[in-house]
């Protein structure tokens, strides 16, 4: 393998050496094929390549191919059922989509694709403070460094400028009275203490005042440091920076309760155990995760170090680039820089993933001030995976699956879609993290701050690549994970496909629906946002939120509980607003929907001790958190799906426990609702019909209930990010030699998950979406018969 140190020699020598390495790698690969170590990954391409799931692949392909003769009408070959659905891979799709998938997606063959392996160098090898993108010849600098060669040191302060009243500046998440690491704007105990790398941020370093009223919160005085306690060596005081963990665990010394181990990469009550940090795909075994940013090995680059350059060994290439035939150029004709072409076979759709500057992804992970923020997993003291319940973790799960998918391509000329990885789940949670994020320029609105980040990403790809202007962005995909989805997308990117959790068409709820002022987008001027809705069902897609793999639910197979075990007619457990103890105080929360349902059907007393006007024994609408939430859902026939601050995760809760979702949110699409046939497995009730909700549900006969329950059981895996979860299982298997219980449970599942569904929708859109029809190149080999391309004539 060629080291970057070789660059101090002439480019001709590097070119010659790389050519030899490539040639030797070709021979090595075909004489000694690399065999995956994990059964799931061995079959991953088949799982994600949209082949039939029932019966023999060969038999079904032959059968459907014969039927696709010139003039054949797919409408007759695949008729819809009484609910106007056509079933494909066990899911009831809208008829037109289901027909095309059944007749075309199921028989897609592989096509030859030339993958471009880059070889451009970077200035000063990025000074050892960044990763070189060998496609563009640009550095991706670590936190605290900038410039063309990452040689410029930044000062990322923890505190805003001080004033006489606030000697440490006004509050910000990074506020620090101890030592500020200005490469990351993170606060530590610092030199002179026994444990200098122990975090000392926020309330830890400041005086905390006890409440004056019962049950009132403790208040931090951001003007007064608490150095007497956090720096003390007196064991009778409540210390932190000099507290010995062993003595503290044995209760021999006191410590300050307001201090904790909130930064990633540290574990234990006193941060005494270094553990793995969370990185995208954990750097794909070609780098080191430094606090969230992948520091790639020489010859590798990308957010997850998954992209090889000409300086990497071909035997280490990822599975989505193998097997490959490499075109080794003539050594005398190679220039500097140079690249290699590797011919591989893949199935469409092909997706190009931009390697954006780290401001949009890696730096947001590296500098986060709370380890659980915006990620779907962290690592415990054994470096075992600990899944989080962050609903926004879906964004990283999808991103990881895309980067490791056999549908990924490095050849932008061959791509069908272009994914722009801006992690708004991290942007908006980190908006208050540090002064350098410049929230003061955005009226304090996290929505405005996030919009500006997307606009900057747009400007970057327009400047650096040619792909956007070819289609005005119609073949580009952006992901918005926050409460109101793409409502605050900048006008420049609205032509693209939006992946969201909030499908508000703005047909009824025409303004910002969140009750949290900092996320409200009404004040964003139209010069920035334009006049677009939050969601366009013609081009966009609502994806499920992240739900952690619940081992108890999987083991008990709650999703499969039959009708006779479901004794509760209707169930909802959640925040019901200001009328209930600890309820959200805003009347606009949930657009008032939860409050109306509680007023009619509440089964637990509100603050005034009253039940709902139509309280019934088999109807549960309560605000107190259930201790057996999943089992309560699995014991119910119908489950409520209402908004929170924008979207909530109640649709996923219902489906994953096999309960028929009852949706009350007018003009707002739920996951897959513009592609799946919701009549087959869900119930929609208008907001004005809330008083009649239970009457409506009691009218469903047992035949229809059994039909809907059966369809929920068929599609529940499409609401789970199993692909990303099993990628993590493979990493743990490789590192520790065993499979966790959650992985064992998920490996037994065989139906399509979120990522497989996403790919099927993309494949349908590639050939049938009028939004992007004019940009399809008919000269490409799509691996499909002519009838499947009928709309491209």
């Amino acid at each position: 393998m060629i080291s970057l140190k070789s660059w101090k020699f002439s480019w001709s020598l590097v070119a010659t050496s790389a050519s030899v390495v490539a040639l030797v790698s070709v021979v090595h690969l075909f004489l000694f094929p690399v065999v995956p170590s994990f059964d799931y990954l061995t079959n991953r391409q088949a799982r994600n390549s949209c082949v039939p799931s029932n019966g023999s692949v060969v038999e079904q392909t032959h059968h459907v191919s014969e039927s696709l003769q010139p003039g054949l009408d797919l409408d007759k070959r695949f008729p819809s059922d009484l609910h106007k659905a056509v079933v494909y891979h066990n899911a009831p799709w809208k008829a037109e989509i289901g027909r095309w998938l059944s007749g075309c997606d199921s028989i897609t063959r592989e096509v030859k694709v030339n993958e471009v392996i880059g070889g451009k160098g970077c200035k000063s090898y990025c000074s050892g403070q960044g990763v070189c993108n060998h496609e563009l010849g640009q550095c991706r600098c670590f936190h605290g460094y900038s410039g063309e060669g990452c040689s410029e040191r930044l000062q990322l302060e923890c505190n805003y400028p001080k004033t006489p009243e606030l000697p440490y500046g006004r509050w910000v998440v990074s506020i620090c009275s101890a030592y500020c690491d200005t490469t990351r704007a993170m606060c530590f105990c610092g030199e002179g203490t026994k444990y200098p790398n122990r975090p000392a941020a926020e309330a830890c370093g400041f005086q905390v005042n006890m409440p004056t009223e019962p049950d009132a919160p403790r208040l931090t005085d951001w003007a007064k440091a608490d150095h007497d306690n956090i720096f003390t060596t007196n064991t009778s005081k409540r210390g932190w920076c000099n507290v010995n963990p062993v003595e503290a665990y044995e209760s021999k010394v006191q410590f300050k309760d307001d201090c904790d181990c909130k930064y990633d990469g540290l574990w234990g009550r006193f941060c005494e155990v270094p553990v793995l940090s969370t990185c995208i795909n954990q750097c794909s075994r070609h780098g080191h995760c430094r606090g969230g940013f992948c520091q790639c090995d020489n010859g590798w680059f990308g957010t997850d170090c998954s992209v090889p350059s000409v300086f990497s060994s071909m035997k280490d290439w990822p599975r989505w680039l193998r097997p490959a035939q490499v075109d080794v150029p003539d050594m005398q004709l190679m220039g500097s820089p140079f690249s290699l072409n590797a011919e591989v076979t893949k199935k469409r759709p092909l997706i190009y993933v931009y390697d954006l500057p780290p401001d949009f992804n890696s730096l947001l992970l590296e500098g986060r001030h709370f380890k659980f923020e915006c990620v779907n997993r962290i690592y415990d003291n054994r470096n075992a995976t600990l899944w989080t319940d962050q609903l926004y973790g879906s964004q990283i799960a999808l991103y990881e699956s895309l980067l490791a998918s056999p549908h990924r391509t490095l050849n932008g000329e061959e791509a069908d879609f272009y994914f722009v990885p801006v992690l708004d789940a991290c942007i908006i949670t980190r908006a208050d993290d540090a002064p350098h994020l410049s929230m003061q320029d955005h009226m304090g609105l996290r929505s405005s701050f996030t919009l500006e980040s997307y606009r900057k990403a747009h400007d970057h790809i327009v400047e650096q690549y040619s792909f956007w202007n070819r289609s005005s962005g119609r073949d580009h995909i952006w992901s918005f994970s926050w409460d109101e989805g793409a409502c605050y997308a900048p006008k420049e990117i609205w032509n693209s496909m939006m992946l969201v959790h909030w499908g508000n068409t703005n047909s009824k709820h025409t303004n910002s629906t969140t009750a949290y002022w900092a996320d409200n987008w009404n004040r964003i001027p139209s010069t920035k946002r334009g006049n677009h809705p939050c969601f366009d069902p013609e081009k966009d897609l609502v994806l499920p939120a992240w739900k952690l793999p619940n081992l108890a639910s999987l083991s008990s197979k709650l999703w499969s509980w039959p009708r006779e075990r479901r004794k509760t007619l209707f169930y909802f457990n959640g925040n019901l607003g200001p009328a209930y103890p600890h309820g959200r105080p805003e009347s606009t929360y949930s657009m008032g929907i939860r409050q109306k349902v509680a007023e009619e059907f509440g089964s637990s007393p509100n603050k005034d001790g009253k039940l709902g006007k139509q309280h019934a024994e088999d109807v549960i609408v309560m605000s107190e958190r259930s201790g057996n939430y999943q089992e309560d859902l699995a014991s119910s026939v119908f489950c409520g799906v209402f908004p929170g601050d924008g979207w909530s995760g109640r649709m996923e809760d219902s489906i994953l426990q096999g309960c028929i979702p009852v949706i009350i949110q007018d003009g707002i699409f739920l996951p897959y609702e513009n592609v799946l046939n919701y009549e087959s497995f869900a119930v929609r009730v208008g907001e004005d019909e809330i008083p009649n909700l239970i009457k409506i549900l009691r009218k469903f006969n047992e035949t229809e209930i059994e039909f809907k329950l059966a369809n929920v059981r068929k599609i529940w895996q499409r609401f789970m990010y199993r692909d990303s979860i099993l990628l993590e299982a493979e990493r743990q298997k490789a590192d520790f030699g065993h499979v966790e219980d959650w992985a064992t449970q998920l490996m037994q599942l065989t139906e399509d998950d979120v990522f497989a569904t996403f790919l099927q929708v993309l494949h349908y859109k590639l050939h049938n979406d009028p939004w992007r029809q004019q940009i399809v190149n008919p000269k490409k080999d799509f691996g499909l018969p002519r009838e499947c391309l009928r709309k491209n004539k």
Side-chain angles (χ1 to χ4, degrees):
M1 182 172 177
I2 298 178
S3 166
L4 290 181
K5 294 179 181 178
S6 303
W7 290 7
K8 64 184 180 182
F9 299 107
S10 69
W11 264 105
S12 61
L13 177 60
V14 173
T16 301
S17 301
S19 180
V20 172
V21 168
L23 184 59
V24 171
S25 296
V26 173
V27 175
H28 180 92
L29 183 68
F30 287 101
L31 290 180
F32 307 101
V34 179
V35 180
S37 60
F38 200 53
D39 289 344
Y40 166 74
L41 262 293
T42 305
N43 297 320
R44 187 168 190 269
Q45 181 156 354
R47 290 172 180 267
N48 287 340
S49 296
C50 311
V51 296
S53 60
N54 300 318
S56 166
V57 173
V58 175
E59 289 177 358
Q60 286 208 19
T61 300
H62 177 71
H63 176 72
V64 178
S65 295
E66 280 188 346
S67 69
L68 286 173
Q69 299 302 318
L72 179 69
D73 189 349
L74 289 179
D75 295 357
K76 295 180 180 178
R77 176 67 182 84
F78 302 102
S80 59
D81 62 18
L82 293 178
H83 284 275
K84 298 181 181 179
V86 171
V87 175
Y88 176 65
H89 279 210
N90 246 351
W93 299 79
K94 289 184 180 295
E96 184 177 353
I97 300 173
R99 289 185 184 113
W100 191 89
L101 293 174
S102 298
C104 300
D105 182 76
S106 61
I107 61 167
T108 306
R109 59 174 173 78
E110 293 181 331
V111 299
K112 293 182 178 179
V113 180
N114 284 320
E115 299 288 359
V116 181
I117 312 301
K120 292 183 179 179
C122 289
K123 182 179 179 179
S124 305
Y125 324 123
C126 302
S127 306
Q129 298 298 342
V131 176
C132 180
N133 176 314
H134 292 290
E135 179 186 9
L136 300 176
Q138 296 177 354
C139 290
R140 304 292 189 237
C141 304
F142 301 143
H143 235 315
Y145 297 90
S146 184
E148 187 180 354
C150 299
S151 59
E152 300 175 20
R153 177 73 178 265
L154 301 176
Q155 286 289 114
L156 307 181
E157 298 293 341
C158 295
N159 302 338
Y160 281 112
K162 65 180 180 180
T163 66
E165 297 78 19
L166 295 171
Y168 295 94
R170 59 188 174 86
W171 176 85
V172 67
V173 169
S174 59
I175 192 168
C176 181
S177 70
Y179 166 72
C180 178
D181 177 354
T182 56
T183 64
R184 296 177 290 170
M186 300 175 82
C187 188
F188 297 89
C189 288
E191 292 185 12
T193 64
K194 191 171 182 179
Y195 301 99
N197 295 320
R198 187 173 287 175
E202 288 187 280
C204 180
F206 293 87
Q207 291 186 21
V208 179
N209 301 321
M210 300 302 293
T212 56
E213 299 178 3
D215 298 325
R218 302 169 69 187
L219 298 176
T220 303
D221 189 339
W222 304 111
K224 297 178 182 178
D226 191 26
H227 293 166
D228 285 347
N229 277 312
I230 65 167
F231 292 142
T232 186
T233 56
N234 185 337
T235 57
S236 63
K237 287 188 176 183
R238 303 178 71 78
W240 180 247
C241 292
N242 293 297
V243 170
N244 185 303
V246 175
E247 294 179 342
Y249 286 133
E250 294 176 352
S251 301
K252 294 180 179 179
V253 296
Q254 298 188 64
F255 57 90
K256 188 174 181 180
D257 294 333
D258 303 279
C259 299
D260 57 25
C261 194
K262 60 174 57 179
Y263 294 161
D264 200 8
L266 299 169
W267 197 264
R269 182 64 183 83
F270 302 94
C271 317
E272 72 274 19
V273 182
V275 299
L276 291 173
S277 296
T278 303
C279 274
I280 303 298
N281 278 328
Q282 295 310 116
C283 309
S284 308
R285 306 185 71 81
H286 294 299
H288 166 70
C289 180
R290 41 170 290 162
F293 195 125
C294 281
Q295 184 171 354
C296 302
D297 298 336
N298 289 346
W300 294 85
F301 66 101
T303 312
D304 65 342
C305 302
S306 63
V307 185
S309 71
V310 298
F311 310 106
S312 63
S313 176
M314 188 175 172
K315 68 180 177 63
D316 296 325
W317 283 8
R319 278 181 282 270
W320 51 271
L321 280 176
R322 292 187 276 140
Q325 292 182 327
V326 176
D327 176 18
V328 181
D330 190 309
M331 297 181 189
Q332 302 299 320
L333 300 179
M334 283 195 303
S336 59
F338 66 98
S339 60
L340 296 175
N341 288 327
E343 186 181 89
V344 298
T345 56
K346 295 174 177 287
K347 287 188 177 182
R348 294 189 186 272
L350 298 177
I351 306 168
Y352 180 89
V353 182
Y354 286 105
D355 181 45
L356 294 181
D359 310 65
F360 304 105
N361 36 67
S362 298
L363 290 184
L364 296 168
L365 290 170
E366 185 182 7
R368 71 191 193 281
H369 289 78
F370 186 47
K371 65 181 72 174
F372 288 96
E373 281 180 352
C374 75
V375 297
N376 61 358
R377 65 181 183 278
I378 60 172
Y379 296 91
D380 66 13
N381 59 322
R382 300 178 297 116
N383 278 331
T385 311
L386 181 63
W387 297 106
T388 77
D389 58 1
Q390 284 277 323
L391 295 175
Y392 315 109
S394 55
Q395 193 169 58
I396 282 182
L398 179 73
Y399 187 22
E400 290 184 323
S401 288
L402 274 170
L403 290 172
S405 171
H407 290 270
R408 182 185 181 186
T409 181
L410 299 178
N411 187 344
E413 302 296 331
E414 277 287 344
D416 303 310
F417 295 93
Y418 302 84
F419 184 76
V420 191
V422 179
L423 299 183
D424 77 315
C426 295
I427 293 173
I428 205 159
T429 55
R430 293 207 48 209
D432 294 321
D433 271 8
H436 73 273
L437 295 177
S438 304
M439 275 293 290
Q440 63 266 32
D441 299 334
H442 295 279
M443 306 171 286
L445 295 175
R446 305 191 306 184
S447 53
S448 175
F449 176 66
T450 305
L451 179 149
E452 185 65 14
S453 298
Y454 278 89
R455 189 193 61 77
K456 289 179 179 178
H458 162 268
D459 292 348
H460 172 79
I461 62 176
V462 168
E463 177 184 341
Q464 298 289 333
Y465 301 87
S466 62
F467 311 129
W468 178 273
N469 289 334
R470 298 177 186 179
S471 65
S472 298
R474 282 183 167 84
D475 48 8
H476 282 56
I477 302 172
W478 304 74
S479 171
F480 282 79
S481 69
W482 205 247
D483 288 357
E484 290 189 286
C487 296
Y488 37 76
K491 61 183 181 181
E492 290 87 352
I493 72 171
W494 190 248
N495 274 345
S496 301
M497 179 183 183
M498 307 294 167
L499 303 179
V500 298
H501 302 312
W502 182 238
N504 185 4
T505 61
N506 295 41
S507 57
K508 178 174 181 177
H509 301 285
T510 56
N511 296 302
S512 182
T513 58
T514 180
Y516 184 55
W517 70 271
D519 292 342
N520 192 295
W521 47 267
N522 291 338
R523 292 171 58 194
I524 299 177
S526 59
T527 53
K528 292 184 176 181
R529 181 184 175 274
N531 246 341
H532 63 75
C534 299
F535 179 77
D536 183 346
E538 291 298 316
K539 66 181 182 67
D540 303 332
L541 183 67
V542 182
L543 288 178
W546 166 260
K547 291 290 180 177
L548 58 80
N550 187 300
L551 186 58
S553 296
L554 291 170
S555 300
S556 301
K557 297 184 178 180
L558 299 184
W559 54 271
S560 67
W561 280 17
R563 170 70 178 92
E564 55 267 24
R565 296 190 66 174
R566 298 178 180 270
K567 305 298 184 183
T568 302
L569 176 70
F570 178 81
Y571 181 84
F572 182 81
N573 178 203
N575 197 307
L576 298 177
Y580 286 78
H582 311 296
R584 285 286 294 272
E586 307 94 340
S587 61
T588 55
Y589 174 69
S590 187
M591 303 182 294
I593 292 173
R594 295 190 186 197
Q595 296 90 311
K596 292 176 184 176
V597 173
E599 184 180 350
E600 294 290 337
F601 309 107
S603 55
S604 57
N606 61 19
K607 289 179 180 178
D608 296 329
K610 296 180 179 179
L611 299 175
K613 290 183 290 187
Q614 301 184 57
H615 169 63
E617 290 298 322
D618 60 349
V619 175
I620 298 176
V621 177
M622 65 180 188
S623 60
E624 298 86 1
R625 184 180 294 274
S626 169
N628 298 294
Y629 179 61
Q630 279 79 23
E631 287 195 11
D632 289 343
L633 290 165
S635 301
S636 304
V637 177
F638 298 101
C639 295
V641 177
F642 316 140
D645 265 330
W647 64 271
S648 74
R650 300 317 175 106
M651 182 70 178
E652 293 78 1
D653 289 340
S654 299
I655 295 288
L656 291 175
Q657 318 311 324
C659 187
I660 300 170
V662 178
I663 302 156
I664 306 179
Q665 38 194 300
D666 295 352
I668 297 168
F669 281 68
L670 275 294
Y672 312 130
E673 192 170 0
N674 54 335
V675 292
L676 293 185
N677 186 291
Y678 260 50
E679 285 186 38
S680 300
F681 60 86
V683 176
R684 260 198 178 273
V685 176
E687 293 172 23
D688 293 339
E689 287 292 306
I690 288 176
N692 298 320
L693 170 63
I694 301 306
K695 293 179 182 177
I696 292 171
L697 298 182
R698 292 196 193 280
K699 288 182 179 178
F700 283 100
N701 60 43
E702 285 299 316
T703 300
E704 183 66 11
I705 288 174
E706 290 283 10
F707 178 81
K708 289 182 183 291
L709 286 173
N711 275 316
V712 171
R713 287 194 288 271
K714 291 176 181 177
I715 68 168
W716 73 277
Q717 293 181 45
R718 292 181 184 269
F719 286 73
M720 179 178 290
Y721 288 84
R722 189 179 72 248
D723 186 83
S724 175
I725 294 170
L726 290 180
L727 284 172
E728 173 68 6
E730 190 231 4
R731 291 189 288 266
Q732 291 285 9
K733 169 75 172 179
D735 290 340
F736 302 112
H738 69 275
V739 177
E740 298 282 355
D741 290 342
W742 49 263
T744 301
Q745 290 287 334
L746 265 72
M747 288 169 62
Q748 297 173 10
L749 305 178
T750 59
E751 300 293 338
D752 295 335
D753 73 336
V754 170
F755 189 60
T757 307
F758 171 61
L759 290 174
Q760 290 161 7
V761 172
L762 288 188
H763 202 199
Y764 173 81
K765 282 180 170 290
L766 175 60
H767 298 290
N768 300 276
D769 189 350
W771 184 260
R772 47 157 293 147
Q773 205 58 183
Q774 66 271 31
I775 63 177
V776 174
N777 181 355
K779 295 181 180 179
K780 286 183 178 179
D781 183 358
F782 290 102
L784 288 169
R786 181 172 59 85
E787 280 69 27
C788 294
L789 310 177
R790 64 190 184 279
K791 295 190 178 181
N792 289 330
K793 294 178 181 177

